[in-house]
Amino acid sequence: MNAPASHLDALIDALRRLPGVGVKSAQRMAYHLLQHDRASAQRLASALQAAAEHVQHCRRCHGLSETPLCGICADPERDARQLCVVEGPADLAALERTGSYRGLYFVLKGRLSPLDGVGARDIGATELLERAADGQVQEVILATSFTAEGEATAHVLAQALKARGLQVTRLARGVPAGSELEYVDLSTIAHALVDRR
Amino acid sequence: MNAPASHLDALIDALRRLPGVGVKSAQRMAYHLLQHDRASAQRLASALQAAAEHVQHCRRCHGLSETPLCGICADPERDARQLCVVEGPADLAALERTGSYRGLYFVLKGRLSPLDGVGARDIGATELLERAADGQVQEVILATSFTAEGEATAHVLAQALKARGLQVTRLARGVPAGSELEYVDLSTIAHALVDRR
Ligand SMILES: [Zn+2]
Ligand SMILES: [Zn+2]
């Protein structure tokens, strides 16, 4: 590529680290921000820094929160006997949008990916076992994705949770196989939640 | 959407301003950065600020540059008799990658879009006419996109440039109609450059 200045290169590299962004998109974004919309570049930089500074992990569910305990974990109306395990904050948000679940959550750091060296400890399985053993949780609902890796993650977690005497369920197979939970329509998710097995 | 914290909302909003990023992608990016990859969030914030600070517009071609005059404009080997007009830095980069052009450039701020209220002055037509009247430029090659708006832009600029006694050419129609220049394969662009009319 013809002589791009070094700060421009660094920006393109940083944009490429965003999920779903290839080199072409990253170039397009960088050119757009610098050629046409510098105010947005500054705004994005500030938003990133403020979010990195203020958005923490909830100490109970490990989801994103600006307070030590997130709004869901702090809500006394939520049913502390149910703990729904998701792969990340986007899946938690999708489940909440269905309005069908009144229990609590545990947010993993993604899913098992043995080929990439991502094991149970990396995704927070230890913290999940600790959380689920609080004496209040009776049922753990595994809501990992219905992909090969999501299923393997559910299987491994189910084994460990059952060994500790917990009831373990899985979202019903209403969720289309091979799909990422956050892109599934709400009624399908709601249905799968009712039919959990 | 369930109670997302305000700094998180602000980040999602800022990410949505990037070209090609919808609300779903912006959420996914924000969640990814904050849940899994805070180092990348900090790196992107720094890269944005450094680029906004150091990458300026070349005073001659109005493209992106870290010096007052960009590498192309400062290169005495380039042919100052030819001036190629593009819609943005991505198109300049695409033309440079073909290795078929040895003249200079003028980088517009996009293309005419009357429905969005984007007129000739907004895209830098005044600066182009000034630049093309330096006494050295003999031929202005219009390399705006082959979309309806890109064609209209070329038409309007051609009229104004010809009225000032300049020879005006257009990339040959080897470029597939309806396509954005930056996504066209290099050999097609190279061919279109040779066959300019
Ligand atoms: Zn929480
Ligand atoms: Zn220049």
Side-chain angles (χ1 to χ4, degrees), chain A residues 58 61 70 73:
Chain A
C58 168
C61 72
C70 76
C73 288

Side-chain angles (χ1 to χ4, degrees), chain A residues 10-111:
Chain A
L11 176 57
I12 292 169
D13 278 354
L15 287 165
R16 278 194 67 181
R17 302 291 295 264
L18 293 170
V21 176
V23 65
K24 273 275 184 185
S25 305
Q27 282 173 2
R28 196 179 168 83
M29 289 171 177
Y31 290 144
H32 174 81
L33 289 172
L34 295 173
Q35 186 79 356
H36 303 300
D37 200 1
R38 278 166 186 258
S40 287
Q42 290 288 6
R43 194 165 148 241
L44 178 54
S46 307
L48 282 162
Q49 278 173 334
E53 189 181 331
H54 292 102
V55 184
Q56 311 295 327
H57 294 286
C58 168
R59 66 173 181 226
R60 201 168 180 204
C61 72
H62 296 228
L64 299 176
S65 174
E66 300 204 20
T67 45
L69 211 58
C70 76
I72 295 170
C73 288
D75 182 354
E77 299 288 305
R78 307 286 303 212
D79 187 345
R81 294 168 299 180
Q82 292 186 322
L83 188 69
C84 181
V85 179
V86 293
E87 290 176 4
D91 296 334
L92 183 157
L95 279 158
E96 282 299 292
R97 282 197 299 273
T98 71
S100 314
Y101 180 65
R102 297 299 304 157
L104 298 174
Y105 291 95
F106 187 88
V107 183
L108 296 170
K109 292 196 192 334
R111 54 197 173 206

